[in-house]
Amino acid sequence: MLKSIHAALAMSVITLTAFGASSALAAPLKVVASFTVIADFAKNVGGDRIHVTTIVGPDGDAHVYEPSPADAVAMAKADIVLVNGLHFEGFLQRLVDASATKASIITLTKGVTPIDFKPEFADADAAEGAGTGGGKTVTDPHAFQSIANARIYVKNIAEAFCAADGEGCVSYQTNAATYTKKLDAVEGEVKAAIASIPESKRVVITSHDAFGYFEHAYGLTFLAPQGISTDSEPSAADVAKLVNQVKQDKAAAIFVENITNPRLIEQIASETGIKVGGTLYSDALSQPDGPAATYIDMMHNNIRQIKGAILGS
């Protein structure tokens, strides 16, 4: 009987020890994502092996975001920080310094071929204030608006998670491959939708220049009164110049963005006679119950809005 009790106790110790070890190993990676699109990518790759904190939340504007003390705390505790790079997150270095984080800072645009942007409408003073160099060519940071680039973001995330959690690497790679197939399918839908739009009608207006990579990849032309950052206010002359160009180019649709004040777009719509076609999601996803709660939802929403406004379907 005594031997049986000792054996049972020994087995209990072994079981508890094994449970404790597995629990320690199962502690999720603490991941901080700079904004919602990156957070969505991370969740698709990481699954239940990670815990994600997002700095700039749904419908938030990373260009003008001011970090909070809670953001610094999250950064300080993080194992990995995922950022866009290309100067998209103007607040990033201040937050890294304030938090004194020891986390790995992973720039997800590594491997992306950047495209340049030259402000057409923003005046020199406004452009300088927005960091666009007074009309000089600068790098467009909105690389995630190309689905091909989204695949690069996903690959970089999987590699970062594998480096931090080798035991979960197969899981991360499998998740990344599954999600990449979904991205491939969405890209096919986007290309088919744009192919259905007559070339003469592939000109649309948005608030700021967030869609350069989408334009470059899929063949739409986007006009915007603001530059690549929302941290500027176009002058009356800028707006007048855009209105004239719109009339000449016969833009087919005009859209507000979820992160910007619709007033300017409504003014342009009034002066050109073009009806506002809806809301496009540019630099942030929607609230969870909105039409762009995930990156794939965002792409579906945007192309559906564009095609519907142009073709009336």
Side-chain angles (χ1 to χ4, degrees), residues 86 112-116 139-140 213:
L86 300 180
V112 164
T113 301
I115 64 173
D116 290 332
T139 299
D140 184 342
Y213 289 87

Side-chain angles (χ1 to χ4, degrees), residues 95-310:
L95 186 54
V96 169
D97 293 344
S99 67
T101 185
K102 304 298 183 187
S104 301
I105 311 293
I106 309 298
T107 301
L108 299 182
T109 48
K110 179 184 177 183
V112 164
T113 301
I115 64 173
D116 290 332
F117 165 81
K118 188 177 190 306
E120 290 185 76
F121 303 107
D123 61 33
D125 292 336
E128 191 69 45
T132 54
K136 296 179 182 178
T137 298
V138 293
T139 299
D140 184 342
H142 304 88
F144 50 88
Q145 284 293 345
S146 156
I147 298 171
N149 287 341
R151 289 193 284 266
I152 295 175
Y153 282 52
V154 169
K155 176 177 177 289
N156 288 337
I157 290 170
E159 290 177 355
F161 289 174
C162 281
D165 173 22
E167 291 192 9
C169 190
V170 172
S171 174
Y172 300 136
Q173 291 172 336
T174 301
N175 292 345
T178 299
Y179 184 62
T180 296
K181 288 181 180 178
K182 294 180 182 178
L183 293 177
D184 293 342
V186 174
E187 186 166 50
E189 294 171 23
V190 168
K191 289 179 176 178
I194 293 174
S196 72
I197 300 172
E199 289 188 18
S200 62
K201 293 188 175 183
R202 295 180 190 175
V203 179
V204 298
I205 305 166
T206 57
S207 303
H208 87 296
D209 271 295
F211 296 96
Y213 289 87
F214 191 100
E215 174 178 317
H216 185 74
Y218 307 119
L220 282 176
T221 296
F222 288 84
L223 304 176
Q226 288 177 295
I228 57 173
S229 173
T230 56
D231 189 22
S232 64
E233 190 71 24
S235 67
D238 297 330
V239 176
K241 182 178 178 182
L242 176 57
V243 167
N244 288 334
Q245 180 166 344
V246 168
K247 290 177 178 177
Q248 292 169 6
D249 289 347
K250 295 182 174 60
I254 185 167
F255 298 93
V256 296
E257 293 176 40
N258 66 314
I259 65 164
T260 59
N261 188 320
R263 177 184 54 80
L264 182 60
I265 286 299
E266 289 167 354
Q267 176 190 342
I268 295 169
S270 175
E271 294 187 23
T272 59
I274 301 173
K275 182 181 177 182
V276 176
T279 300
L280 299 185
Y281 288 79
S282 53
D283 293 19
L285 302 179
S286 70
Q287 297 291 337
D289 60 349
T294 69
Y295 178 80
I296 287 175
D297 289 341
M298 178 181 81
M299 284 295 169
H300 278 145
N301 172 83
N302 288 356
I303 195 59
R304 183 173 59 250
Q305 295 277 0
I306 290 168
K307 182 180 175 181
I310 295 174

